[in-house]
């Protein structure tokens, strides 16, 4: 709603809906960079894209370069291109790479690609090598994809283990609250959402920046309050600016030039003009 009011306000000032839309996108991005930093960094996205191109070229030249395959598969998983990640990393496993990093990454790729049986099996093998790999990331991914495919009981089990290992996690508590809600445990889900928000409030600044989107999902009233405040400010500006004459003028092609008294040309005046 606030973006709609902002668009109307900028259209009033510029007279161009498309220009107003572009300005809104710029304003949102700049505001996010200096405040919440929820949107992904375009610089980081560009660097990852360039790095992926370099790694793909390396693999094309030397298909047996395992390190390049692992790094490129990691980028593809981050981009949620899971099937590509499987095709890229699978040769490493076939060549004998059975370390915890390879098993974990390939397991997540299989889960994302829809092959839950192979994905769970690979995560089991990774957990045998290091159950606390990346501070419980194995259980986090188990819970995430189990919840996605409707295995609510399995998701609750995995996410509860993850929250026990990662005490300050906002994402884990939000996902656990979601799983508990689907399991019909509404009171427990509410308590977990409150805990997620409480962890976010006391977290260090760098962690709050990383976990902000999960905190807002746990308590969506917060971003709605910010949006309502912005809408009120913009609505007040839109009502005040016309008093200062900041309204678009119209002429013959959708605009008119006001006369001395602010009135459009009369019909008689037009006839005199045409008769000259």
């Amino acid at each position: 709603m606030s973006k709609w009011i902002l668009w109307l306000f900028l259209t009033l000032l510029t007279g161009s809906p498309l220009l107003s839309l572009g300005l809104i996108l710029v304003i949102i991005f700049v505001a996010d960079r200096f405040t919440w930093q929820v949107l992904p960094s375009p610089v980081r996205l560009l660097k990852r894209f360039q790095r992926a191109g370099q790694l793909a070229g390396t693999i094309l030249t030397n298909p047996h370069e395992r390190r390049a395959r692992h790094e490129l598969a990691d980028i593809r998983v981050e981009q949620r291109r899971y099937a590509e990640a499987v095709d890229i990393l699978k040769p490493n496993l076939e060549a004998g790479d059975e370390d915890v990093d390879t098993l974990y990454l390939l397991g997540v790729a299989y889960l994302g690609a829809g092959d839950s049986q192979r994905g769970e099996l690979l995560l089991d093998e990774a957990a045998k090598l290091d159950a606390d790999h990346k501070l419980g990331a194995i259980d986090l991914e188990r819970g995430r994809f189990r919840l996605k495919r409707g295995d609510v009981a399995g998701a609750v089990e995995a996410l509860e283990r993850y929250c026990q290992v990662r005490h300050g996690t906002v994402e884990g508590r939000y996902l656990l609250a979601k799983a508990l809600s689907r399991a019909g445990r509404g009171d427990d889900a509410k308590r977990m959402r409150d805990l997620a928000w409480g962890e976010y409030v006391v977290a260090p600044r760098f962690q709050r920046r990383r976990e902000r989107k999960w905190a807002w999902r746990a308590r969506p009233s917060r971003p709605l309050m910010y949006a309502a405040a912005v809408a009120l400010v913009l609505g007040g500006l839109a009502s005040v600016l016309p008093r200062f004459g900041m309204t678009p003028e119209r002429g013959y092609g959708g605009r008119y030039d006001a006369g001395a008294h602010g009135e459009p040309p009369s019909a008689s005046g037009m006839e005199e003009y045409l008769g000259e």
Side-chain angles (χ1 to χ4, degrees):
M1 184 65 179
S2 61
K3 296 182 181 66
W4 171 251
I5 296 175
L6 179 59
W7 178 76
L8 291 176
F9 172 68
L10 291 176
T11 302
L12 179 70
L13 294 180
T14 63
S16 173
L18 293 179
L19 178 59
S20 301
L21 181 60
L23 289 174
I24 288 175
L25 296 177
V26 172
I27 291 171
I28 291 174
F29 172 76
V30 172
D32 179 79
R33 286 296 91 195
F34 286 96
T35 54
W36 303 305
Q37 297 185 359
V38 174
L39 299 177
S41 170
V43 176
R44 183 175 184 274
L45 292 177
L46 179 60
K47 288 183 178 180
R48 297 285 279 180
F49 178 79
Q50 292 175 339
R51 182 58 179 164
Q54 295 172 356
L55 293 169
T58 300
I59 295 171
L60 185 63
T61 304
N62 183 9
H64 303 291
E65 179 56 53
R66 299 181 189 177
R67 187 173 300 177
R69 284 185 175 276
H70 190 283
E71 187 178 350
L72 181 57
D74 186 40
I75 293 175
R76 293 298 184 238
V77 166
E78 183 181 350
Q79 296 172 338
R80 299 186 181 182
R81 296 162 63 174
Y82 300 109
E84 290 184 34
V86 169
D87 293 337
I88 292 168
L89 192 57
K90 188 177 178 180
N92 283 20
L93 184 65
E94 295 172 347
D97 288 353
E98 296 182 355
D99 57 287
V100 63
D101 287 320
T102 300
L103 294 172
Y104 164 76
L105 185 59
L106 187 57
V108 174
Y110 269 118
L111 288 176
D115 192 340
S116 59
Q117 184 176 1
R118 290 185 182 179
E120 291 278 0
L121 179 61
L122 286 168
L123 291 184
D124 285 340
E125 294 301 318
K128 290 178 183 178
L129 297 177
D130 184 6
D132 295 332
H133 180 62
K134 294 184 177 180
L135 294 177
I138 294 174
D139 282 323
L140 174 63
E141 297 302 331
R142 284 187 196 275
R144 189 196 314 278
F145 285 103
R146 285 176 181 177
L147 184 61
K148 187 176 181 180
R149 66 176 183 265
D151 182 6
V152 177
V156 170
E157 177 189 357
L159 290 169
E160 284 181 339
R161 284 200 305 267
Y162 175 69
C163 291
Q164 290 174 358
V165 174
R166 196 80 171 264
H167 297 288
T169 175
V170 179
E171 178 184 5
R173 294 189 187 282
Y174 165 75
L175 292 175
L176 179 55
K178 191 174 181 180
L180 291 170
S181 179
R182 291 187 182 181
R185 299 165 57 182
D187 293 338
D188 292 335
K190 182 180 182 303
R191 181 178 61 84
M192 195 57 58
R193 284 194 297 270
D194 292 338
L195 287 175
W197 183 260
E199 294 289 356
Y200 170 74
V201 171
V202 300
R205 183 175 181 180
F206 73 92
Q207 185 177 347
R208 289 202 304 270
R209 184 168 61 247
R210 186 174 62 246
E211 300 260 39
R212 185 169 287 118
K213 68 176 181 179
W214 302 107
W216 281 8
R217 290 179 183 182
R219 186 166 292 185
S221 59
R222 288 288 175 159
L224 290 176
M225 288 172 58
Y226 297 145
V230 172
L232 289 174
V233 171
L234 293 176
L237 288 174
S239 63
V240 169
L241 287 178
R243 300 178 184 178
F244 297 93
M246 299 182 67
T247 54
E249 297 180 349
R250 299 195 176 277
Y252 293 116
R255 296 176 175 271
Y256 66 80
D257 297 325
H261 300 286
E263 299 177 352
S266 63
S268 59
M270 182 65 71
E271 291 175 358
E272 295 177 359
Y273 172 76
L274 293 175
E276 290 181 354

